[in-house]
Amino acid sequence: MIRDPEHETMPRAALDALQLQRLQRAVSWAYERIPHYRALFDARGVKPGDLRALGDLERLPFTDKLDLRDTYPFGMFAVPVERVVRLHSSSGTTGKPIVVGYTKGDLDTWAECTARIASAAGVTDKDRVQMAFLYGMFTGGWGMHYGMERIGATVIPAGSGNTERHLMMMRDFGTTAIVGTPSYALYLAEVGERAGIDFSRLPLRVGLFGGEPCGERLRAEIESRLHITATDNYGLTEVMGPGVAGECECRCGLHVNEDHFLAEVVDPETGEPRGEGEEGELVLTTLTREACPVLRYRTHDLTSLDRSVCACGRTTLRMRKVRHRTDDMVIVRGVNVFPSQVEDTLLAIEGIAPHYQIVVEREHGMDRMEVRVEVAEEVFSDVMADMVAFEGNVSDRLNSVLGLSVKVTLVEPGTVERTAGKARRVVDDRSAE
Ligand code: DLL
């Protein structure tokens, strides 16, 4: 269902005009209230008044995680902390977290954005929605929660972890929709199957997954095991949290809530704009955020944009599913490896379970990459020769795709770490030597 036809099906020219008007306001708002933005603008010799067309956006400076870290905790707030009614943060992997604030107005916009995404995925007020995201400083739980409530669904705020309890509630409460990370969905399926649950007999019908990449093969695996339709939704703490973009039932790209966010795709090296359909780094600008406006924020997520009108009738641009980030690429002996390439190769092999981890180490000054992967129960064999042959086959497939010799270690089902949140696919131990 299209929740807000006015904004979601607005003709392109009108949407462009709305974006320009909101962008001009957002830029002045940030410039006048946040000294850090003013300094960035002044260093480039631009003023908010220079922004006369959407194309002028390129004249504005980029921002990234460092700008938020350097001003920790509240230096990028455009309003006094007293006007902020909620804080969230993103831990990241190193250093101080990033802190973001929301005014009452921001929370209202956020709930509306996630409500749109839930509606696009087919959730209605008849659904019982079980939340499997963490509630806490992470934006996933609260962000999706309020959107679901806003559309009138019955929300079950189970939170992350305690898988047995999730399964019990799913059966007892007649859950129809599940919200979490794709890796947790897979884990739910695994634990449920082990407990003898027949998901095809449950009313569960739709999953809204996000927070980490979910390739098509992984999606198909989740769908067939949980007997649901799985949709992908995208967002990041710095820009708001979930609610930035999500798939409709056509599942041909994620619709960006363009009346609130302006999306660009740039060359990750040079920052030059990339043409429509070309892959590059997603850069986002918030158009309506009051407490923490972000301008030209470098997400490090790689995608491409499609402005053609979708079969669902929405005119908002679609971003291709994010499969990798500029910073999750590992360089092993000079070869660029994305975890998504490893995942696609592994999941195309019969008998491989969708649980894997990439470990990169340095041995005697040489990089060494190992892929630890689980095999399905039925393939796991006590016959050493069978396993060695299977390992060799997996290793050959990876070698030819990556152009790199990779050690493959088959591990017993259930050995690769399971998570209630985002999966850790790469362990890079090279700095340890
Ligand atoms: O993960 C916000 C979110 C929560 C989005 C729940 C959707 C659902 P952060 O923890 O700040 O925020 O992480 C943001 O996660 O830059 C991407 O690299 C990755 N990411 C988020 N959603 C997707 C997705 C939340 N659907 C970072 N596909 C982003 C691929 C995603 N990657």
Side-chain angles (χ1 to χ4, degrees):
M1 194 198 98
I2 301 183
R3 179 176 166 78
D4 179 350
E6 184 196 342
H7 293 106
E8 294 180 84
T9 63
M10 202 176 237
R12 174 51 50 189
L15 199 46
D16 284 351
L18 179 71
Q19 283 197 317
L20 177 61
Q21 179 214 332
R22 290 187 170 178
L23 177 67
Q24 285 168 331
R25 206 175 51 196
V27 167
S28 305
W29 178 264
Y31 181 87
E32 283 156 20
R33 288 170 177 77
I34 307 173
H36 189 79
Y37 271 117
R38 189 186 300 242
L40 290 176
F41 274 58
D42 291 350
R44 269 183 87 106
V46 275
K47 294 257 179 293
D50 297 336
L51 201 89
R52 292 191 195 93
L54 283 180
D56 294 331
L57 187 65
E58 284 167 37
R59 302 181 57 188
L60 304 189
F62 287 119
T63 53
D64 66 16
K65 243 184 189 38
L66 281 183
D67 296 292
L68 292 164
R69 288 230 161 99
D70 291 349
T71 53
Y72 174 87
F74 305 139
M76 293 293 259
F77 283 20
V79 298
V81 180
E82 292 66 39
R83 273 202 61 206
V84 168
V85 293
R86 173 100 63 81
L87 294 178
H88 277 285
S89 76
S90 142
S91 56
T93 42
T94 49
K96 293 265 196 215
I98 276 158
V99 179
V100 292
Y102 303 76
T103 61
K104 280 191 178 141
D106 291 331
L107 288 186
D108 186 56
T109 307
W110 194 12
E112 195 49 39
C113 286
T114 51
R116 272 190 206 169
I117 278 159
S119 299
V123 176
T124 71
D125 57 357
K126 307 279 180 307
D127 277 297
R128 297 176 196 173
V129 182
Q130 195 160 317
M131 300 293 305
F133 272 132
L134 182 74
Y135 282 83
M137 298 310 282
F138 178 54
T139 54
W142 297 106
M144 295 302 287
H145 178 112
Y146 284 104
M148 294 295 176
E149 271 190 7
R150 184 163 290 202
I151 60 178
T154 307
V155 184
I156 307 163
S160 73
N162 205 338
T163 308
E164 277 77 18
R165 192 182 59 160
H166 260 290
L167 291 165
M168 183 191 77
M169 292 197 288
M170 201 174 266
R171 267 182 318 201
D172 297 351
F173 299 166
T175 301
T176 57
I178 178 91
V179 178
T181 58
S183 19
Y184 190 58
L186 203 59
Y187 186 49
L188 264 176
E190 188 178 346
V191 177
E193 286 157 7
R194 229 184 291 134
I197 295 176
D198 178 358
F199 286 101
S200 71
R201 301 179 75 90
L202 297 185
L204 194 64
R205 60 174 196 87
V206 60
L208 281 86
F209 302 119
E212 63 178 4
C214 179
E216 289 301 346
R217 287 182 194 278
L218 189 59
R219 171 177 6 220
E221 173 98 18
I222 294 171
E223 291 190 322
S224 75
R225 290 173 69 175
L226 286 178
H227 293 268
I228 58 172
T229 301
T231 60
D232 189 5
N233 70 89
Y234 168 90
L236 62 165
T237 313
E238 298 89 314
V239 170
M240 184 165 76
V244 175
E247 281 178 328
C248 64
E249 286 166 286
C250 304
R251 304 194 302 173
C252 51
L254 285 71
H255 287 277
V256 177
N257 278 322
E258 275 194 282
D259 47 332
H260 297 290
F261 307 100
L262 203 153
E264 305 167 76
V265 162
V266 303
D267 180 320
E269 305 286 329
T270 63
E272 288 300 313
R274 285 260 159 103
E276 190 169 336
E278 277 184 88
E279 182 176 273
E281 179 179 347
L282 179 69
V283 174
L284 290 169
T285 297
T286 58
L287 296 176
T288 52
R289 203 150 166 217
E290 293 172 340
C292 289
V294 287
L295 305 180
R296 302 199 84 200
Y297 188 75
R298 304 283 298 246
T299 64
H300 290 288
D301 292 316
L302 293 167
T303 186
S304 59
L305 302 178
D306 179 354
R307 284 194 167 75
S308 64
V309 176
C310 181
C312 71
R314 288 178 182 80
T315 50
T316 44
L317 73 79
R318 282 165 287 154
M319 53 182 270
R320 209 195 50 213
K321 256 172 162 324
V322 172
R323 290 301 314 281
H324 40 250
R325 294 174 50 83
T326 54
D327 49 9
D328 70 5
M329 184 179 81
V330 277
I331 305 179
V332 184
R333 298 199 290 278
V335 178
N336 299 348
V337 178
F338 283 110
S340 55
Q341 292 173 295
V342 175
E343 177 175 304
D344 290 346
T345 312
L346 292 176
L347 296 194
I349 303 173
E350 186 81 24
I352 288 284
H355 302 286
Y356 66 93
Q357 197 162 48
I358 300 165
V359 181
V360 192
E361 290 166 327
R362 186 159 291 152
E363 234 176 39
H364 313 299
M366 272 286 278
D367 293 343
R368 176 179 171 277
M369 178 170 150
E370 180 187 356
V371 174
R372 296 184 188 148
V373 60
E374 286 180 19
V375 283
E377 303 264 3
E378 55 281 11
V379 170
F380 200 75
S381 160
D382 287 336
V383 183
M384 189 67 175
D386 290 353
M387 293 310 281
V388 170
F390 194 72
E391 222 165 56
N393 175 20
V394 178
S395 165
D396 287 349
R397 299 272 278 269
L398 282 172
N399 295 354
S400 78
V401 171
L402 305 176
L404 177 78
S405 102
V406 177
K407 177 173 166 35
V408 171
T409 307
L410 299 179
V411 296
E412 276 188 59
T415 329
V416 173
E417 183 195 5
R418 305 293 196 263
T419 168
K422 304 188 188 201
R424 188 172 171 222
R425 299 291 188 202
V426 182
V427 180
D428 194 338
D429 278 338
R430 282 177 295 188
S431 54
E433 201 185 59

